[in-house]
Amino acid sequence: MFNRRKMLLWAAASAVLPGLCGSVPAQAEDAVKIGLILPMTGGQASTGKQIDNAIKLYMQQKGDTVAGKKIEIILKDDAAVPDNTKRLAQELIVNDKVNFIAGFGVTPAALAAAPLATQAKIPEVVMAAGTSIITERSPYIVRTSFTLAQSSTIIGDWAVKNGIKKVATLTSDYAPGNDALTFFKQHFTAGGGEIVEEVKVPLANPDFAPFLQRMKDAKPDAMFVFVPAGQGGNFMKQYAERGLDKSGIKVIGPGDVMDDDLLNNMGDAALGAVTAHLYSAAHPSQMNKDFVAAYKKAFGNRPGFMAVSGYDGIHLIYEALKKTGGDTNGDKLIEAMKGMKWESPRGPISIDPETRDIVQNIYIRKVEKVDGELYNVEFATFEAVKDSGKTKK
Ligand code: PHB
């Protein structure tokens, strides 16, 4: 009688507090939670969409269980407003008890979350933002996107070597735009190039028209442009409307302005634009052909560089969990990520063990028509480029 009563009590307790009684449902205990903070609305929404799509695609292809643990994505929309990012990261860490925070469509968002990653001792996987300083803001930050220094130094050198003597610059007026401008100028002027006009445009809803008139009046050989992902289509529309294509002022820059996501709708004004970047949908590897085909099939459009940065970001998380055997200790995960190398749709990449930043090929590309569609066709490769834009210590 006594034994039976004890048994019943034990059974009742198990039903209420399964975590204490050893009969834990596999999913609840074994889930790894990733708080994915992206701009799904507002001016940077195309970045959020690309990254969210790519993560969905990766998880469809590879499954949603790693090292015996179920991967759970909790997506939050910060509209690229850093106050939102901070609040959402806090909620994800405190209430949802996430094991990673990831995403971050713009630099101010990645920076806003940095102290929280440090405090919580969990990895912050930056899948979009591109200012060099970001990885210095927390030992828990790892980046799978890019830095503006990686591409802007290379296009600066290319411009002087290819007969471009005078350049007018147009850059988005916030941290990555300032990085792009600084590193381009350093390399272009060191080689003897001259900056004849310099304009900075607001990040939010920019009207490029008045700035474009100043570009035209300065009569440069080319204009160096940095606008963040999502704005290139509008920029090129106004560039054509102002007749800059007809006046022979070529667009050069990091490849953000020629994002594959938008390129095909830019029209012939984009033909001949030369940019340096990490990814082209026309990258000729088999892995990229398969990636582009699968992405198009799933979402109906071409992946851009943000999609690839998201695809690699979730891959990094999966591989780090495999290496720790499913252990979600933040320090162990960061150690596992350092030095990791893999083949991405963009080409070979790795995580610099010193800086936790991405090391990748940078390709110089020219917009050409291939089978009736516009593509960034790669014609030169700089291998294993590290970020050169960090603070000198
Ligand atoms: C950034 O805010 O760091 C950023 C966003 C979009 C880009 C590049 C940089 O295309």
Side-chain angles (χ1 to χ4, degrees), residues 54-63 290-291 294-295 311:
I55 291 176
K56 286 196 174 107
L57 177 63
Y58 186 90
M59 292 180 70
Q60 267 170 24
Q61 292 173 335
K62 312 278 172 172
D290 295 345
F291 173 70
Y295 189 99
Y311 196 75

Side-chain angles (χ1 to χ4, degrees), residues 105-117:
V106 291
T107 291
L111 295 178
L116 300 172

Side-chain angles (χ1 to χ4, degrees), residues 36 40 49-62 73 75 298-299 311 314:
L36 182 62
M40 301 304 294
K49 193 136 210 89
Q50 286 194 49
I51 293 175
D52 181 39
N53 283 348
I55 291 176
K56 286 196 174 107
L57 177 63
Y58 186 90
M59 292 180 70
Q60 267 170 24
Q61 292 173 335
K62 312 278 172 172
I73 305 281
L75 173 65
F299 309 110
Y311 196 75
I314 189 72

Side-chain angles (χ1 to χ4, degrees), residues 12 31 52 56 67 78 80 88 99 117 122 127 131-132 144 150 167 174 176 197 245-246 287 312 316 340 344 393:
D52 181 39
K56 286 196 174 107
D78 69 355
L88 292 168
N99 306 105
I122 59 168
M127 299 176 173
T131 305
S132 288
T144 60
Q150 285 176 323
V167 163
Y174 78 124
E197 179 66 276
D245 53 334
K246 306 275 181 320
M287 184 181 197
D312 288 326
L316 178 66
M340 206 171 274
S344 153
K393 294 236 167 80

Side-chain angles (χ1 to χ4, degrees), residues 106-239:
V106 291
T107 291
L111 295 178
L116 300 172
T118 305
Q119 230 173 18
K121 297 182 186 298
I122 59 168
E124 173 178 337
V125 182
V126 174
M127 299 176 173
T131 305
S132 288
I133 48 152
I134 289 174
T135 49
E136 295 177 306
R137 292 300 171 91
S138 168
Y140 291 90
I141 294 182
V142 182
R143 171 159 39 202
T144 60
S145 43
F146 51 86
T147 72
L148 273 309
Q150 285 176 323
S151 44
S152 302
T153 50
I154 285 173
I155 199 71
D157 293 337
W158 180 87
V160 265
K161 284 188 196 131
N162 286 274
I164 295 175
K165 295 191 170 61
K166 292 181 179 179
V167 163
T169 67
L170 180 146
T171 52
S172 204
D173 192 9
Y174 78 124
N178 296 337
D179 268 11
L181 179 61
T182 303
F183 295 111
F184 171 76
K185 251 184 3 191
Q186 260 176 20
H187 282 246
F188 182 61
T189 57
E194 188 191 345
I195 305 289
V196 293
E197 179 66 276
E198 195 175 300
V199 298
K200 295 189 177 185
V201 298
L203 171 63
N205 308 314
D207 176 12
F208 299 108
F211 301 110
L212 285 167
Q213 191 56 47
R214 275 169 61 187
M215 299 272 112
K216 204 170 167 182
D217 295 344
K219 298 194 172 26
D221 302 319
M223 62 185 290
F224 172 86
V225 180
F226 167 76
V227 291
Q231 291 190 359
N234 187 26
F235 171 78
M236 287 307 292
K237 185 167 167 273
Q238 296 190 22
Y239 167 91

Side-chain angles (χ1 to χ4, degrees), residues 311-333:
Y311 196 75
D312 288 326
I314 189 72
H315 178 80
L316 178 66
I317 291 174
Y318 269 46
E319 291 303 310
L321 282 166
K322 281 186 198 167
K323 246 173 127 174
T324 65
D327 191 335
T328 51
N329 175 282
D331 293 295
K332 288 185 187 163
L333 287 168

